[in-house]
Amino acid sequence: MRPTPPAAPAHPLAHPDGSPVRVLVVDDEPDLAEVLSGALRYEGWQVRTAGDAAGAVAQAAAWRPDAVVLDVILPDGDGLGVLRRLREAQPEVCVLFLTARDTVEDRIAGITAGGDDYVTKPFSLEEVLARLRGLLRRAGMARARGDSPLLAVGDLAMDEDAREVTRGGEPVELSPTEFELLRYLMRNPRRVLSKAQILDRVWSYDFGGQAHVVELYISYLRRKIDTGREPMIHTVRGAGYVLKAAPP
């Protein structure tokens, strides 16, 4: 009996111009590829499939997908090798690994090779969809139809499409990772976010030992957002960080 597709989203993700998201599914199990493809099409996305490494590289070159769901073990190679070739041709593509391996070392190897996220078999279709939605949003490739690209908290403003940030009308220059971190904070104003939540949403890490990365990038943001002004980024001891408008 095949899994029931998740409910179609009320506001499906699409490109900012309204065109559908393109996803390439790479897996040598035809039944699994078919079920995954059906769930992705139900999401309103365009889908193509490949059953081996050579087919994956050829499809990606011809079609240039926004995201690739990539099995780690393929009949003519491994997913890490495919990933390297995909990144050479299309550095911005989002890659979600599928694998039966579930050790910390395997996850680190996938992320280090350039993968964006990691799902272990067996998995739920909703989990795969949720991970892909998160990757596409964070990469700035897609947003829900009707979403505004403009965010504002107090005198801090962000244009997600133009990737521009200002505070008090003055431009703030951010690196890509700083931008993603600030976007997550601005989408959750006055909400305390733990280091684990930030790692999961901004870096897609679901293994330990990386909390110092969050601390480091929070310090970078504070230097650019708060220096010489009333602070907006606050530490909640033992809980995480919160962004809130400065008092008038």
Side-chain angles (χ1 to χ4, degrees), residues 51-72:
D52 55 28
V57 173
Q59 285 275 25
W63 195 47
R64 297 189 67 82
D66 303 302
V68 179
V69 180
L70 178 61
D71 194 1
V72 170

PDB file of all heavy atoms in Angstrom, residues 51-72:
ATOM      1  N   GLY A  51      17.829   7.310 -12.354  1.00  0.00           N
ATOM      2  CA  GLY A  51      18.072   6.109 -11.576  1.00  0.00           C
ATOM      3  C   GLY A  51      19.529   5.807 -11.323  1.00  0.00           C
ATOM      4  O   GLY A  51      19.854   4.822 -10.654  1.00  0.00           O
ATOM      5  N   ASP A  52      20.425   6.632 -11.857  1.00  0.00           N
ATOM      6  CA  ASP A  52      21.853   6.398 -11.637  1.00  0.00           C
ATOM      7  C   ASP A  52      22.610   7.718 -11.704  1.00  0.00           C
ATOM      8  O   ASP A  52      22.040   8.780 -11.997  1.00  0.00           O
ATOM      9  CB  ASP A  52      22.409   5.391 -12.649  1.00  0.00           C
ATOM     10  CG  ASP A  52      22.142   5.796 -14.103  1.00  0.00           C
ATOM     11  OD1 ASP A  52      22.034   7.013 -14.378  1.00  0.00           O
ATOM     12  OD2 ASP A  52      22.037   4.892 -14.948  1.00  0.00           O
ATOM     13  N   ALA A  53      23.907   7.636 -11.424  1.00  0.00           N
ATOM     14  CA  ALA A  53      24.729   8.843 -11.363  1.00  0.00           C
ATOM     15  C   ALA A  53      24.822   9.537 -12.716  1.00  0.00           C
ATOM     16  O   ALA A  53      24.697  10.763 -12.807  1.00  0.00           O
ATOM     17  CB  ALA A  53      26.126   8.486 -10.857  1.00  0.00           C
ATOM     18  N   ALA A  54      25.040   8.763 -13.773  1.00  0.00           N
ATOM     19  CA  ALA A  54      25.174   9.356 -15.105  1.00  0.00           C
ATOM     20  C   ALA A  54      23.892  10.071 -15.503  1.00  0.00           C
ATOM     21  O   ALA A  54      23.920  11.189 -16.047  1.00  0.00           O
ATOM     22  CB  ALA A  54      25.524   8.276 -16.126  1.00  0.00           C
ATOM     23  N   GLY A  55      22.753   9.439 -15.249  1.00  0.00           N
ATOM     24  CA  GLY A  55      21.473  10.066 -15.570  1.00  0.00           C
ATOM     25  C   GLY A  55      21.235  11.328 -14.767  1.00  0.00           C
ATOM     26  O   GLY A  55      20.677  12.308 -15.280  1.00  0.00           O
ATOM     27  N   ALA A  56      21.659  11.319 -13.501  1.00  0.00           N
ATOM     28  CA  ALA A  56      21.482  12.494 -12.645  1.00  0.00           C
ATOM     29  C   ALA A  56      22.258  13.685 -13.181  1.00  0.00           C
ATOM     30  O   ALA A  56      21.737  14.804 -13.275  1.00  0.00           O
ATOM     31  CB  ALA A  56      21.932  12.172 -11.226  1.00  0.00           C
ATOM     32  N   VAL A  57      23.519  13.452 -13.560  1.00  0.00           N
ATOM     33  CA  VAL A  57      24.354  14.538 -14.072  1.00  0.00           C
ATOM     34  C   VAL A  57      23.789  15.070 -15.387  1.00  0.00           C
ATOM     35  O   VAL A  57      23.737  16.288 -15.620  1.00  0.00           O
ATOM     36  CB  VAL A  57      25.811  14.053 -14.243  1.00  0.00           C
ATOM     37  CG1 VAL A  57      26.652  15.120 -14.939  1.00  0.00           C
ATOM     38  CG2 VAL A  57      26.414  13.715 -12.881  1.00  0.00           C
ATOM     39  N   ALA A  58      23.337  14.159 -16.259  1.00  0.00           N
ATOM     40  CA  ALA A  58      22.794  14.576 -17.559  1.00  0.00           C
ATOM     41  C   ALA A  58      21.500  15.371 -17.384  1.00  0.00           C
ATOM     42  O   ALA A  58      21.306  16.415 -18.023  1.00  0.00           O
ATOM     43  CB  ALA A  58      22.540  13.349 -18.436  1.00  0.00           C
ATOM     44  N   GLN A  59      20.602  14.892 -16.521  1.00  0.00           N
ATOM     45  CA  GLN A  59      19.334  15.596 -16.281  1.00  0.00           C
ATOM     46  C   GLN A  59      19.586  16.970 -15.672  1.00  0.00           C
ATOM     47  O   GLN A  59      18.944  17.958 -16.052  1.00  0.00           O
ATOM     48  CB  GLN A  59      18.455  14.767 -15.334  1.00  0.00           C
ATOM     49  CG  GLN A  59      17.803  13.569 -15.978  1.00  0.00           C
ATOM     50  CD  GLN A  59      16.486  13.938 -16.665  1.00  0.00           C
ATOM     51  OE1 GLN A  59      16.262  15.077 -17.064  1.00  0.00           O
ATOM     52  NE2 GLN A  59      15.618  12.957 -16.790  1.00  0.00           N
ATOM     53  N   ALA A  60      20.499  17.041 -14.716  1.00  0.00           N
ATOM     54  CA  ALA A  60      20.787  18.321 -14.070  1.00  0.00           C
ATOM     55  C   ALA A  60      21.349  19.327 -15.065  1.00  0.00           C
ATOM     56  O   ALA A  60      21.000  20.510 -15.047  1.00  0.00           O
ATOM     57  CB  ALA A  60      21.757  18.117 -12.906  1.00  0.00           C
ATOM     58  N   ALA A  61      22.217  18.872 -15.955  1.00  0.00           N
ATOM     59  CA  ALA A  61      22.820  19.767 -16.944  1.00  0.00           C
ATOM     60  C   ALA A  61      21.778  20.287 -17.933  1.00  0.00           C
ATOM     61  O   ALA A  61      21.797  21.456 -18.327  1.00  0.00           O
ATOM     62  CB  ALA A  61      23.940  19.040 -17.684  1.00  0.00           C
ATOM     63  N   ALA A  62      20.836  19.404 -18.318  1.00  0.00           N
ATOM     64  CA  ALA A  62      19.847  19.788 -19.323  1.00  0.00           C
ATOM     65  C   ALA A  62      18.707  20.618 -18.734  1.00  0.00           C
ATOM     66  O   ALA A  62      18.154  21.484 -19.415  1.00  0.00           O
ATOM     67  CB  ALA A  62      19.281  18.534 -19.985  1.00  0.00           C
ATOM     68  N   TRP A  63      18.377  20.368 -17.469  1.00  0.00           N
ATOM     69  CA  TRP A  63      17.153  20.938 -16.883  1.00  0.00           C
ATOM     70  C   TRP A  63      17.413  22.000 -15.822  1.00  0.00           C
ATOM     71  O   TRP A  63      16.573  22.832 -15.555  1.00  0.00           O
ATOM     72  CB  TRP A  63      16.334  19.788 -16.295  1.00  0.00           C
ATOM     73  CG  TRP A  63      14.921  20.106 -15.964  1.00  0.00           C
ATOM     74  CD1 TRP A  63      14.014  20.763 -16.741  1.00  0.00           C
ATOM     75  CD2 TRP A  63      14.235  19.751 -14.756  1.00  0.00           C
ATOM     76  NE1 TRP A  63      12.802  20.838 -16.088  1.00  0.00           N
ATOM     77  CE2 TRP A  63      12.909  20.219 -14.870  1.00  0.00           C
ATOM     78  CE3 TRP A  63      14.600  19.077 -13.587  1.00  0.00           C
ATOM     79  CZ2 TRP A  63      11.956  20.034 -13.873  1.00  0.00           C
ATOM     80  CZ3 TRP A  63      13.660  18.882 -12.601  1.00  0.00           C
ATOM     81  CH2 TRP A  63      12.356  19.367 -12.747  1.00  0.00           C
ATOM     82  N   ARG A  64      18.581  21.963 -15.187  1.00  0.00           N
ATOM     83  CA  ARG A  64      18.978  22.898 -14.123  1.00  0.00           C
ATOM     84  C   ARG A  64      17.898  22.997 -13.038  1.00  0.00           C
ATOM     85  O   ARG A  64      17.216  24.019 -12.885  1.00  0.00           O
ATOM     86  CB  ARG A  64      19.304  24.282 -14.697  1.00  0.00           C
ATOM     87  CG  ARG A  64      20.495  24.266 -15.647  1.00  0.00           C
ATOM     88  CD  ARG A  64      20.949  25.649 -16.030  1.00  0.00           C
ATOM     89  NE  ARG A  64      21.504  26.386 -14.903  1.00  0.00           N
ATOM     90  CZ  ARG A  64      22.754  26.262 -14.460  1.00  0.00           C
ATOM     91  NH1 ARG A  64      23.571  25.385 -15.014  1.00  0.00           N
ATOM     92  NH2 ARG A  64      23.171  26.988 -13.447  1.00  0.00           N
ATOM     93  N   PRO A  65      17.755  21.938 -12.241  1.00  0.00           N
ATOM     94  CA  PRO A  65      16.752  21.944 -11.178  1.00  0.00           C
ATOM     95  C   PRO A  65      17.122  22.916 -10.059  1.00  0.00           C
ATOM     96  O   PRO A  65      18.287  23.293  -9.900  1.00  0.00           O
ATOM     97  CB  PRO A  65      16.783  20.500 -10.664  1.00  0.00           C
ATOM     98  CG  PRO A  65      18.178  20.041 -10.956  1.00  0.00           C
ATOM     99  CD  PRO A  65      18.538  20.695 -12.256  1.00  0.00           C
ATOM    100  N   ASP A  66      16.121  23.304  -9.278  1.00  0.00           N
ATOM    101  CA  ASP A  66      16.363  24.132  -8.093  1.00  0.00           C
ATOM    102  C   ASP A  66      16.864  23.286  -6.934  1.00  0.00           C
ATOM    103  O   ASP A  66      17.623  23.763  -6.090  1.00  0.00           O
ATOM    104  CB  ASP A  66      15.071  24.837  -7.662  1.00  0.00           C
ATOM    105  CG  ASP A  66      14.490  25.688  -8.769  1.00  0.00           C
ATOM    106  OD1 ASP A  66      15.201  26.591  -9.238  1.00  0.00           O
ATOM    107  OD2 ASP A  66      13.339  25.448  -9.177  1.00  0.00           O
ATOM    108  N   ALA A  67      16.397  22.036  -6.874  1.00  0.00           N
ATOM    109  CA  ALA A  67      16.776  21.137  -5.786  1.00  0.00           C
ATOM    110  C   ALA A  67      16.919  19.720  -6.327  1.00  0.00           C
ATOM    111  O   ALA A  67      16.276  19.347  -7.310  1.00  0.00           O
ATOM    112  CB  ALA A  67      15.731  21.172  -4.669  1.00  0.00           C
ATOM    113  N   VAL A  68      17.769  18.935  -5.660  1.00  0.00           N
ATOM    114  CA  VAL A  68      17.978  17.538  -6.030  1.00  0.00           C
ATOM    115  C   VAL A  68      17.824  16.693  -4.770  1.00  0.00           C
ATOM    116  O   VAL A  68      18.452  16.965  -3.750  1.00  0.00           O
ATOM    117  CB  VAL A  68      19.382  17.306  -6.629  1.00  0.00           C
ATOM    118  CG1 VAL A  68      19.579  15.833  -6.985  1.00  0.00           C
ATOM    119  CG2 VAL A  68      19.590  18.183  -7.864  1.00  0.00           C
ATOM    120  N   VAL A  69      16.949  15.678  -4.857  1.00  0.00           N
ATOM    121  CA  VAL A  69      16.837  14.678  -3.800  1.00  0.00           C
ATOM    122  C   VAL A  69      17.711  13.516  -4.253  1.00  0.00           C
ATOM    123  O   VAL A  69      17.413  12.857  -5.255  1.00  0.00           O
ATOM    124  CB  VAL A  69      15.381  14.231  -3.597  1.00  0.00           C
ATOM    125  CG1 VAL A  69      15.305  13.192  -2.485  1.00  0.00           C
ATOM    126  CG2 VAL A  69      14.494  15.424  -3.268  1.00  0.00           C
ATOM    127  N   LEU A  70      18.808  13.261  -3.544  1.00  0.00           N
ATOM    128  CA  LEU A  70      19.888  12.427  -4.072  1.00  0.00           C
ATOM    129  C   LEU A  70      20.208  11.263  -3.141  1.00  0.00           C
ATOM    130  O   LEU A  70      20.609  11.467  -1.989  1.00  0.00           O
ATOM    131  CB  LEU A  70      21.134  13.307  -4.257  1.00  0.00           C
ATOM    132  CG  LEU A  70      22.416  12.662  -4.752  1.00  0.00           C
ATOM    133  CD1 LEU A  70      22.220  12.050  -6.127  1.00  0.00           C
ATOM    134  CD2 LEU A  70      23.537  13.711  -4.793  1.00  0.00           C
ATOM    135  N   ASP A  71      20.011  10.036  -3.646  1.00  0.00           N
ATOM    136  CA  ASP A  71      20.395   8.851  -2.880  1.00  0.00           C
ATOM    137  C   ASP A  71      21.920   8.786  -2.815  1.00  0.00           C
ATOM    138  O   ASP A  71      22.607   9.049  -3.802  1.00  0.00           O
ATOM    139  CB  ASP A  71      19.833   7.598  -3.559  1.00  0.00           C
ATOM    140  CG  ASP A  71      19.897   6.374  -2.661  1.00  0.00           C
ATOM    141  OD1 ASP A  71      20.350   6.497  -1.506  1.00  0.00           O
ATOM    142  OD2 ASP A  71      19.498   5.287  -3.115  1.00  0.00           O
ATOM    143  N   VAL A  72      22.445   8.415  -1.646  1.00  0.00           N
ATOM    144  CA  VAL A  72      23.897   8.346  -1.481  1.00  0.00           C
ATOM    145  C   VAL A  72      24.481   7.169  -2.256  1.00  0.00           C
ATOM    146  O   VAL A  72      25.578   7.267  -2.810  1.00  0.00           O
ATOM    147  CB  VAL A  72      24.260   8.248   0.014  1.00  0.00           C
ATOM    148  CG1 VAL A  72      25.744   7.927   0.197  1.00  0.00           C
ATOM    149  CG2 VAL A  72      23.919   9.551   0.730  1.00  0.00           C
TER     150      VAL A  72
END
